[in-house]
Amino acid sequence: MSSSNPLSPRTRHARQLFGGIARQYDRMGYLLSFGQDRRWRRFLVERPGVRSGGRVLDVATGTAGVAMALAGRNGARVVGLDQSEPMLRVGEASLRAAGLEDGVTLVVGQAEHLPFPDSAFDAVTFTYLLRYVDDPAATLEELVRVLRPGGTLAGLEFRVPNAPQWRAAWRLYTRLGLPALGALSSRAWYRTGRFLGPSIEAFYRRYPLAEQGAMWRAAGIEPVFVRTMSLGGGIVTWGARAR
Ligand SMILES: C[S@@+](CC[C@H](N)C(=O)[O-])C[C@H]1O[C@@H](n2cnc3c(N)ncnc32)[C@H](O)[C@@H]1O
């Protein structure tokens, strides 16, 4: 994708990161999360207003895992958008293999500047996106812009567990386990394994949950619901756009 604006260091890093891990992303994501990522995505697509189908946009769709789960539900017409062409290419192959290519359109683009008119979608989903953007509040506003009034926004993200014993185990796993397991696959996965834990913690230091809730409300979602999952390792947030 070409752009007249120079890419920020955060965007450049995200593109490089996912360009290097796209081919093994689905398998490694499943292994490294002990299969929890699929549970979280299933919960995401079951949210009221998302499961009812219609026009659904999945942002940061990557290899199209969420888009595939959305496709074929209640006649949903799904658009998956991502800035990483290598991730989308893997997604395209998976859609073809699953016979779902007619239900999902994949688009290269950035969450910060969506190439869609206002109120174009009945639901918008996103996964693991906000840690990769420079301005999460502005990005949430952009996601809500393309959502019709009354439509649902739902997002999935990692989380740092609250309970001290699970937090300690999570730290041990993210600082030692993830890089070690990643290294068994490739250098790019080793780097990803080292990056993830500090990236998640830095995000919650900068944007504690209460502040994230305030950002959702400022973007026009009210009320905002959250569900923490897997001992606090994942979190799904959702709500409807005010009418
Ligand atoms: C961890 S992957 C998630 C992929 C998939 N949704 C899933 O459930 O596994 C994060 C994705 O966000 C994409 N991404 C990061 N920043 C983005 C941005 N500003 N705009 C669009 N996509 C972005 C990356 O390219 C990557 O595919």
Side-chain angles (χ1 to χ4, degrees):
M1 194 182 57
S2 69
S3 162
S4 50
N5 296 325
L7 298 177
S8 76
R10 191 181 291 271
T11 303
R12 270 205 310 275
H13 172 255
R15 290 196 187 180
Q16 194 186 19
L17 177 80
F18 289 102
I21 61 173
R23 283 201 358 220
Q24 310 84 7
Y25 178 85
D26 289 331
R27 188 169 47 94
M28 290 296 283
Y30 181 74
L31 290 174
L32 297 180
S33 74
F34 306 112
Q36 296 304 299
D37 61 339
R38 292 191 190 166
R39 270 190 64 219
W40 301 345
R41 287 194 199 108
R42 273 201 300 275
F43 186 79
L44 177 79
V45 301
E46 282 300 333
R47 291 313 80 220
V50 176
R51 65 167 176 247
S52 43
R55 302 156 303 167
V56 187
L57 172 66
D58 181 44
V59 179
T61 199
T63 55
V66 171
M68 282 206 280
L70 290 163
R73 293 173 153 244
N74 300 312
R77 298 180 303 289
V78 183
V79 176
L81 175 139
D82 201 284
Q83 68 178 6
S84 167
E85 296 187 40
M87 290 288 277
L88 288 176
R89 275 199 293 277
V90 174
E92 232 164 47
S94 301
L95 285 168
R96 268 199 307 276
L100 289 171
E101 65 269 41
D102 292 339
V104 180
T105 306
L106 295 179
V107 174
V108 183
Q110 275 197 277
E112 296 91 326
H113 317 283
L114 294 170
F116 308 110
D118 295 357
S119 307
F121 295 94
D122 299 302
V124 175
T125 56
F126 63 98
T127 31
Y128 314 119
L129 167 70
L130 296 180
R131 278 181 296 112
Y132 297 104
V133 302
D134 292 315
D135 187 343
T139 302
L140 279 171
E141 282 175 21
E142 177 64 354
L143 300 179
V144 172
R145 180 186 67 77
V146 301
L147 186 62
R148 70 163 167 80
T152 296
L153 179 69
L156 163 62
E157 186 50 91
F158 294 113
R159 196 180 169 217
V160 186
N162 258 341
Q165 73 276 25
W166 295 125
R167 183 178 286 244
W170 182 90
R171 277 223 176 97
L172 199 65
Y173 178 61
T174 56
R175 296 316 194 274
L176 295 177
L178 273 182
L181 290 170
L184 296 177
S185 174
S186 68
R187 203 162 167 72
W189 272 105
Y190 167 70
R191 283 196 295 267
T192 305
R194 281 190 52 176
F195 158 79
L196 259 181
S199 154
I200 296 164
E201 290 205 59
F203 182 70
Y204 283 94
R205 264 198 309 277
R206 196 152 178 213
Y207 306 105
L209 266 191
E211 187 169 332
Q212 290 186 42
M215 282 187 213
W216 279 64
R217 285 189 291 278
I221 304 295
E222 184 81 63
V224 178
F225 300 95
V226 292
R227 167 73 73 88
T228 345
M229 303 178 77
S230 309
L231 307 172
I235 183 166
V236 173
T237 308
W238 73 97
R241 178 177 177 180
R243 287 177 193 273

